């Protein structure tokens, strides 16, 4: 059976390769600390479930310290010459999009057509993580298609992966870190603290005010944590479930859906959502690293107001 653990190993090996390439790259001014950072991240994928939770936490703190003290830098990865890349692009034309289009296509086929396929009495794809397992297979198929189209080798794919990882730097691991932060907030009882503060100091007898606190809180916590999924358990546990559902009888599905839309408004306005807002600016060499955020704020604020009114009028719909 093709399981998610198989792809964890592949991702771990990819980051091992990134670490080794950076370690051997003398043009990288911080090659040792950069290799340490990606090596630690690789270890989390390769052996995370077999390590004590306290050790995993210590490794993540060490990674944060390395990145915080600017220990992650980019070197000069080995890529094909500019002339060769332009000639290949001209030769392939729109066929260059085939590997990218294969990702959603193969993922959809794996999650629908092949979900019941069995080999030796076992399902071909892990039914517990069907979509993610299908996405992993799709990535391998896309890599094979890219190698076939460009007449390259998988090693060149690894080199290109290293180039992109270097360009995105530590922001690659930010979604992983923020997901852990959301779990930590939940375990620490931040949701209960939010519930205590909001009910003690804000008049929740007003349904509109309760809806506003929930939606704005979702956006604000997302701005702080950079991840709507990390913000949701905090605000849902503090306001959404006890107040909107428990007191005003809101439909939990409507509360959750519009709450997440409100969180995404926060995503548009925070550098903590680095993979959405900071990485594109870096990849496009924009002079202002916050240019994407500045362009999105005029959209995010009206959308947040719209979400407040949508939840107010639709929360009791069944």
């Amino acid at each position: 059976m093709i399981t998610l653990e198989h792809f964890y190993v592949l991702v771990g090996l990819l980051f091992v390769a990134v670490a080794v390439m950076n370690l051997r790259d003398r043009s990288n001014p911080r090659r040792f600390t950069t290799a340490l950072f990606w090596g630690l991240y690789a270890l989390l994928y390769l052996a995370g479930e077999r390590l004590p939770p306290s050790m995993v936490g210590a490794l993540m703190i060490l990674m944060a310290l390395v990145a915080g003290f600017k220990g992650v830098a980019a070197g000069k990865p080995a890529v094909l010459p500019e002339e060769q890349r332009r000639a290949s692009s001209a030769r392939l034309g729109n066929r260059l999009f085939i590997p990218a289009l294969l990702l959603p296509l193969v993922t959809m086929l794996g999650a629908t057509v092949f979900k019941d396929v069995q080999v030796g009495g076992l399902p071909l794809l892990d039914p517990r993580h069907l979509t993610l397992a299908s996405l992993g297979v799709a990535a391998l198929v896309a890599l094979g298609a890219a190698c076939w189209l460009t007449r390259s080798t998988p090693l060149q794919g690894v080199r290109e992966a290293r180039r992109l990882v270097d360009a995105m730097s530590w922001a690659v691991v930010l979604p992983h870190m923020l997901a852990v932060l959301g779990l930590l907030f939940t375990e620490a009882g931040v949701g209960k603290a939010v519930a205590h503060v909001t009910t003690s100091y804000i008049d929740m007898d007003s349904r509109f005010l309760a809806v506003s606190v929930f939606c704005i809180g979702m956006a604000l916590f997302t701005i702080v944590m950079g991840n709507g999924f990390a913000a949701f358990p905090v605000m849902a546990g503090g306001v959404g479930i006890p107040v909107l559902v428990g007191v005003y009888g809101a439909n939990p599905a409507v509360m959750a859906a519009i709450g997440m839309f409100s969180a995404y408004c926060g995503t548009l306005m925070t550098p903590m959502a680095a993979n959405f807002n900071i990485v594109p600016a870096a990849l496009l060499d924009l002079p202002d690293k916050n240019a994407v955020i500045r362009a999105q704020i005029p959209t995010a604020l009206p959308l947040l107001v719209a979400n407040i009114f949508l939840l107010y009028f639709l929360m009791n719909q069944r």
Side-chain angles (χ1 to χ4, degrees), residues 83-249:
E83 297 78 10
Q84 188 173 345
R85 281 184 286 158
R86 287 187 178 276
S88 179
S89 174
R91 176 177 61 86
L92 293 171
N94 289 333
R95 286 182 294 167
L96 282 171
F97 293 102
I98 291 176
L101 294 174
L102 283 173
L103 284 170
L105 177 62
V106 176
T107 301
M108 182 182 66
L109 289 175
T112 55
V113 177
F114 293 98
K115 67 177 182 179
D116 297 320
V117 174
Q118 295 192 352
V119 178
L122 291 175
L124 176 64
L125 298 170
D126 186 354
R128 298 172 302 165
H129 308 286
L130 182 60
T131 302
L132 290 175
S134 301
L135 176 61
V137 172
L140 294 179
V141 171
L143 174 63
C147 291
W148 176 69
L149 282 170
T150 61
R151 301 169 187 170
S152 274
T153 64
L155 179 59
Q156 184 60 31
V158 174
R159 293 192 186 103
E160 292 295 330
R162 181 258 169 128
R163 180 180 62 82
L164 286 175
V165 166
D166 276 1
M168 293 185 285
S169 189
W170 55 266
V172 170
V173 310
L174 193 58
H176 196 166
M177 296 285 193
L178 293 173
V180 174
L181 181 62
L183 293 173
L184 179 63
F185 274 29
T186 303
E187 292 295 324
V190 175
K192 295 179 180 178
V194 170
H196 173 72
V197 170
T198 53
T199 54
S200 299
Y201 298 100
I202 301 175
D203 182 14
M204 288 294 180
D205 291 335
S206 167
R207 189 174 81 157
F208 183 78
L209 189 56
V211 168
S212 299
V213 168
F214 176 68
C215 292
I216 295 173
M218 284 292 296
L220 290 177
F221 267 92
T222 302
I223 288 172
V224 172
M225 295 192 284
N227 190 310
F229 293 99
F232 182 76
V234 175
M235 289 306 300
V239 179
I241 295 173
V243 179
L244 298 185
V245 177
V247 176
Y248 295 109

